[in-house]
Amino acid sequence: MTANKKYVFFDIDGTLTDRATGKIVPSAQEALNQLQANGHFVSLATGRAHYKARPFMEEVGLHDMVCCGGGGLVVDDRLIRNIPLDLEKSKAIAKQADALGYGVLLMLDDSIDVYSRNDKFREQCGPRKEPTNYIIDPDLDYDKLDVIYKLYISIPAEEEAALTLKDTLGHLRFQPEYLMFQYDEKHQGILDMINTVHGRPEDVVVFGDDTNDLVMFDPRWTSIAMGNGTDQLKAKADYVTDANVDDGIFNACQKFGWI
């Protein structure tokens, strides 16, 4: 070990990966390898669903992750939990969007499948920007559902106010064409992971690049913003490293003596 054991959590897009290629930056991969070799706990911390994040986790040689916006925990390659959205609030939002004439997609399990009563979503904003299997069922009854993991609603940003229930659940707009509702507690997910693996908050290190990573930055631990990150994130960071494509992760890990 080159230092006291750290529990290091990495965002994926724009932090570990080059956004231009979608691939992990080579020096970031080397940092992951050396961190693990030195005995540190290394994990992803991502909003991606488990099914979507696992291939990347395996590709870069990791075995642990906080996924599903903090609702999912993978420990030693095993998914030990996957918290869905609040069921009644999700149903209410879906019903309201339906009544307003917007397309609604429901993610009901850990897969690329999404369910809908109709094809309004694709008619109004086109397909999602990732592999998706659309299951159209005119008889889909929201009241009979026992779990909802994510909601996608084809409502333009300028019309969001019409969806008066939207603030009852955490939501994001990664794409201009639609609003996404997902479990959004990455900060709590990190705390839950630390508790599960018997670590201490003061030994946590978090790397991020975008405003959605703000929730992961906590004064109890070390928060590092990438040089290519947003100004808002940099202002909250304990340390700002170089851009990810300029070896930012490797350089920061070396500076603090973790590798």
Side-chain angles (χ1 to χ4, degrees), residues 192-240:
D192 293 343
M193 176 68 88
I194 287 299
N195 184 59
T196 301
V197 299
H198 309 297
R200 304 185 306 171
E202 57 264 38
D203 293 323
V204 168
V205 180
V206 172
F207 284 82
D209 74 300
D210 212 341
T211 51
N212 64 316
D213 298 321
L214 283 165
V215 295
M216 298 196 298
F217 281 21
D218 186 302
R220 287 175 290 178
W221 55 64
T222 303
S223 301
I224 299 177
M226 305 309 298
N228 53 290
T230 64
D231 291 340
Q232 191 177 4
L233 192 72
K234 291 176 182 177
K236 192 176 179 181
D238 296 306
Y239 179 71
V240 179

Side-chain angles (χ1 to χ4, degrees), residues 27-185:
S27 62
Q29 180 68 73
E30 182 58 29
L32 297 186
N33 297 344
Q34 291 194 31
L35 285 167
Q36 291 181 98
N38 286 347
H40 300 295
F41 176 87
V42 185
S43 172
L44 299 178
T46 178
R48 292 187 189 183
H50 168 256
Y51 81 88
K52 187 179 177 185
R54 178 171 281 270
F56 182 83
M57 182 191 79
E58 295 174 348
E59 178 185 335
V60 300
L62 297 183
H63 305 280
D64 305 275
M65 69 174 168
V66 175
C67 56
C68 310
L73 294 184
V74 173
V75 179
D76 292 331
D77 297 310
R78 186 169 65 91
L79 180 67
I80 65 170
R81 81 167 195 204
N82 190 4
I83 301 173
L85 291 171
D86 181 286
L87 186 59
E88 295 311 313
K89 290 179 181 178
S90 301
K91 290 177 180 178
I93 291 171
K95 289 176 182 178
Q96 185 179 55
D98 226 12
L100 290 169
Y102 296 108
V104 177
L105 300 179
L106 301 152
M107 180 178 167
L108 304 180
D109 55 27
D110 184 35
S111 76
I112 66 171
D113 293 343
V114 292
Y115 296 77
S116 184
R117 289 174 168 175
N118 51 56
D119 208 16
K120 284 184 180 179
F121 186 94
R122 284 186 290 185
E123 292 168 358
Q124 292 172 350
C125 68
R128 292 175 59 213
K129 304 297 191 295
E130 58 188 86
T132 304
N133 181 37
Y134 298 89
I135 300 172
I136 309 300
D137 179 6
D139 297 321
L140 180 66
D141 186 346
Y142 297 146
D143 288 324
K144 291 183 178 179
L145 299 177
D146 56 10
V147 67
I148 298 174
Y149 286 101
K150 289 190 180 185
L151 275 173
Y152 304 89
I153 297 175
S154 56
I155 186 169
E158 61 272 17
E159 298 176 20
E160 271 186 28
L163 194 65
T164 58
L165 296 177
K166 72 180 179 68
D167 292 328
T168 60
L169 285 178
H171 54 274
L172 300 164
R173 187 178 287 275
F174 283 128
Q175 302 295 337
E177 297 89 358
Y178 58 86
L179 196 62
M180 177 175 66
F181 293 80
Q182 66 174 31
Y183 193 88
D184 189 22
E185 296 287 346

